[in-house]
Amino acid sequence: MKKVLALWLLVFAATIGYTQVKSPEQFLGYKIGTRYTPHYNVVNYFKEIASSASNMVKLEEYGRTNEGRPLLTAFIALPENLSRLEQIRLNNLRLAGMTNDKAAPDEKGPALVWLSYNVHGNETSSSEAAMLTLYELVNPANAKTKEWLKNTVVVIDPCINPDGRDRYVNWFNSVVGVTANPQPFTREHSEPWPGGRSNHYYFDLNRDWAWQTQVESQQRLAKYNQWLPQIHVDFHEQGYNDPYYFAPAAEPFHEVVSPWQREFQVQIGKNNARYFDENGWLFFTKERFDLFYPSYGDTYPIYKGAIGMTYEQGGHSRGGAAVINTDGDTLTLWDRLYHHYTTGMATIEVSAQNAGKLVQEFKKYYDKARTSPPGEFKAWLVKADAGDRLTRLKQLLNRNSIDWSYANAATFTGLNYFTGKSESFKSVTGDIVINANQPNANLVDVLFERTSKLSDSATYDITAWSMPFVYGLTTYGLNAYVTATSKDIVVPAPSQSVAKLAYAARWNGMNSARFLSELLKKKVKVRFAEQPFTANGQNFEKGTLLILRTSNAGLGDKLYGIVSEAAKVADISFSAVESGFVDKGFDFGSNKVHMLHAPRITLVAGDGVSSLGMGEIWHFFDKDLSYPINIVWSDELRGNVLKETDVLILPDGRYSFLSDKAQNDNLKEWVSNGGKLIALEGTVAQLARGEWGIKIKEDKKDEKKDDKKDDYSVLKRYENRERDFLPGFIPGSIYKVELDNSHPLAFGYDNFYYTLKQDDNIYEFFKDGSWNVGIIKKDNQVAGFVGSRLKEKLKDGVLFGVQDYGRGSVVYLADNPLFRNFWESGKLLFCNAVFLVGQ
């Protein structure tokens, strides 16, 4: 009798927590789906459930956004699993070979199902669905979910992008009436610039998983890589006329995607389809959303051993709270969130039914990675550079838990990525080695692959991202593992002392630019050398920064402290120079040494401007350079603004004032009077149409086409209409750019640079008075897909140039050197444009 009573008391104690669980409607005070929930209340609801169902839910704050909003993960498990959550996590890492202990992993542990919501802020139904999903997992009346939780631990990230979500939700709630208007032409369906899709700095967080340039990604991936789930779902929304999309994904699949990962996507898709069929809901699979680019919320988990998937519900941004689609049906917020709730639950269900197989295949994935890694090479040796690019690459590797070590002194033979030839070379102190036989072998292979192998060219994003080209680092692919390595090297501290005359700092990386930024903010006068020179037996290249005591006499003895502090912040060294009479080159009083003036920079934002392009530049100045800029709306760029501007930056966009002759002429006058205009991407093409002096290079073949009546090339098959664009398609391909590194725009570079080409714009070579700094010649494509019609066009033209314009200058950057802030080798080029050109 005592045993029965004790058992009854135990059951009662376990269920008493359940009885206090509130539904979203009970907590929020309105039926979920009738209005949007601000992020703080999503957080409050998760806290409420974590408190009232503490035996099943553990809530963790893993970080904060740029605007200070909390980032959360909720772990949902049966009490017996929640109590040993840390053991489950460590066991999962043992399955992946990612721990240092020798304990054998338990292959019968629960499968980890990770559900991520609202990475795009204006795809808002998914955070609402997250609340309903959480509730039903702990709802005492829902016996099915308790059965599923016997074999799974569910992780919910309710909102990856709180800043973007609140930007959209706060706007929408400010314009919607008592009853949502479903007419798609009304104002509540027309979101203002920049929209809520992106984060605070207007970055697309769904392109940032591998690169981790954003604070949200850095904090989330640190947490994700501590767990490594078997299942990951990334919830999205698409146009409101589209039916629901779920896995299996479309081609191209990257070749490292395993047969099991392909197979189980089909199983999950069939289970989702079962529920959609029962309800008469439309859906599609195997179209549009591929598994190739490595920095998505589906592909990154796949390259980390999971079954990674994107789920797309119709309705983002223009869906409002209700919208009439082209079928004449009204799609409501409730419909959208309930579809997401349904696929989330169906995914947990099929994962629970196959938990044993999921865990076993997860272990096989990592076992194979260590013992039989994929790819062309057994190892990669990356050469140390004079600047900081290798330091930045090592940071990326660390953030992705990729093993690397320092190469010991030796002679190797390997394939040089830059020349494409097998070469013999010697390693030196600072070179690093990345062996392929490691747990993250698949991700390493994807990140370092020289060429992309596409099973289908109709891909959703860029097709080339090889790290040696992205970072501009000489890299060799090796045919054997490298065992003679070291985890640490001793780097002697630089000797720095007070100088009688000047301090010199080399211009060879982003740290140099950050150093300059710190000095200019402190009102230090800085010069730079146009030509190489030798002083005190040391060689200094073009662009070297010079801080002369005579120019900064007002700072007195404080100068050394200011320079030292700036060097510490920027993590660079500098040298004391005792005489302006150099050993070789031009003396410091020469006209080949130029004074740098701290520029007043204006960045244009607003209607017509690419929010992504503008955000990259804003983030770059704020986070990378820490240099102040003025951001103005595009329709407020007038004479009073230009008077306070030395450098005007026009990101990618289509500017109405450039199409207005009077305003265009006013801008030309400002440049002619000494201003510097920096134009990026599509803006360069608009300047070309505005007769600024740069000309788009036309495709000569198109001009020479015969107008023969029997030209069969115009005949198309209807069934191929969605692929007819491919011959003129370039989603993102790497080209080798030949640089004139005697020009300040290319200081700090060798005589080449690798650019990401995303359009077919190329420009005619400049003639007198302008400078062809970065050009592409014949056969300069390195990696990625380029449509057949564009291959002939994209050659023998300029991509990066400088035009002397009166007393001012125009810098043309036809390709984006700051692409998604991960194209590290382009950042110094942009700094050159801002600080050095025109000085």
Side-chain angles (χ1 to χ4, degrees), residues 141-183:
N142 193 329
K144 282 186 177 180
T145 57
K146 310 308 173 295
E147 191 66 28
W148 301 339
L149 288 173
K150 290 180 180 178
N151 298 321
T152 60
V153 171
V154 177
V155 187
I156 292 179
D157 186 333
C159 189
I160 289 176
N161 182 10
D163 292 350
R165 176 183 171 81
D166 267 4
R167 189 186 311 132
Y168 176 82
V169 169
N170 291 338
W171 165 78
F172 182 83
N173 287 342
S174 74
V175 298
V176 70
V178 174
T179 303
N181 189 329
Q183 292 291 351

Side-chain angles (χ1 to χ4, degrees), residues 488-626:
D488 296 295
I489 58 173
V490 177
V491 179
S495 59
Q496 295 173 168
S497 59
V498 177
K500 294 179 181 178
L501 177 77
Y503 302 100
R506 292 173 175 84
W507 185 259
N508 52 24
M510 269 304 301
N511 288 5
S512 305
R514 178 63 187 271
F515 175 66
L516 174 62
S517 170
E518 293 299 314
L519 293 176
L520 294 179
K521 288 189 298 182
K522 297 287 178 58
K523 310 298 182 184
V524 175
K525 293 180 180 177
V526 183
R527 289 175 163 84
F528 74 94
E530 181 186 323
Q531 294 293 330
F533 67 92
T534 301
N536 298 348
Q538 297 185 66
N539 295 323
F540 296 89
E541 281 298 324
K542 298 181 290 290
T544 294
L545 302 176
L546 296 168
I547 305 98
L548 274 65
R549 291 178 64 89
T550 52
S551 302
N552 295 283
L555 295 173
D557 294 337
K558 295 180 181 178
L559 181 61
Y560 176 73
I562 294 172
V563 172
S564 297
E565 180 60 27
K568 181 179 179 182
V569 170
D571 191 25
I572 71 165
S573 60
F574 60 90
S575 301
V577 181
E578 304 304 332
S579 174
F581 190 91
V582 299
D583 303 333
K584 185 178 179 181
F586 293 92
D587 296 329
F588 293 173
S590 166
N591 63 2
K592 298 296 191 297
V593 176
H594 306 275
M595 179 69 78
L596 267 168
H597 301 282
R600 299 169 299 167
I601 300 169
T602 296
L603 173 64
V604 180
D607 291 340
V609 181
S610 163
S611 60
L612 296 175
M614 178 268 167
E616 288 164 354
I617 299 169
W618 178 25
H619 180 270
F620 181 73
F621 278 106
D622 241 19
K623 296 291 187 177
D624 287 87
L625 281 181
S626 186

Side-chain angles (χ1 to χ4, degrees), residues 237-290:
E237 290 190 88
Q238 53 190 327
Y240 63 80
N241 288 311
D242 291 316
Y244 201 98
Y245 163 82
F246 48 73
E251 291 287 351
F253 282 56
H254 197 281
E255 60 183 342
V256 304
V257 179
S258 72
W260 164 250
Q261 288 172 320
R262 292 170 179 255
E263 175 189 329
F264 200 68
Q265 280 209 350
V266 174
Q267 289 191 48
I268 289 174
K270 288 181 177 179
N271 201 49
N272 287 338
R274 180 167 63 90
Y275 287 99
F276 272 58
D277 289 342
E278 287 176 1
N279 287 281
W281 300 334
L282 294 176
F283 62 90
F284 67 97
T285 65
K286 302 183 289 292
E287 295 181 76
R288 194 180 305 167
F289 304 103
D290 59 69

Side-chain angles (χ1 to χ4, degrees), residues 20-22 27 43-53 59:
Q20 304 302 314
V21 174
K22 292 181 180 179
F27 179 80
V43 171
N44 287 340
Y45 182 69
F46 269 72
K47 288 181 176 178
E48 165 68 23
I49 298 300
S51 175
S52 59
L59 189 64

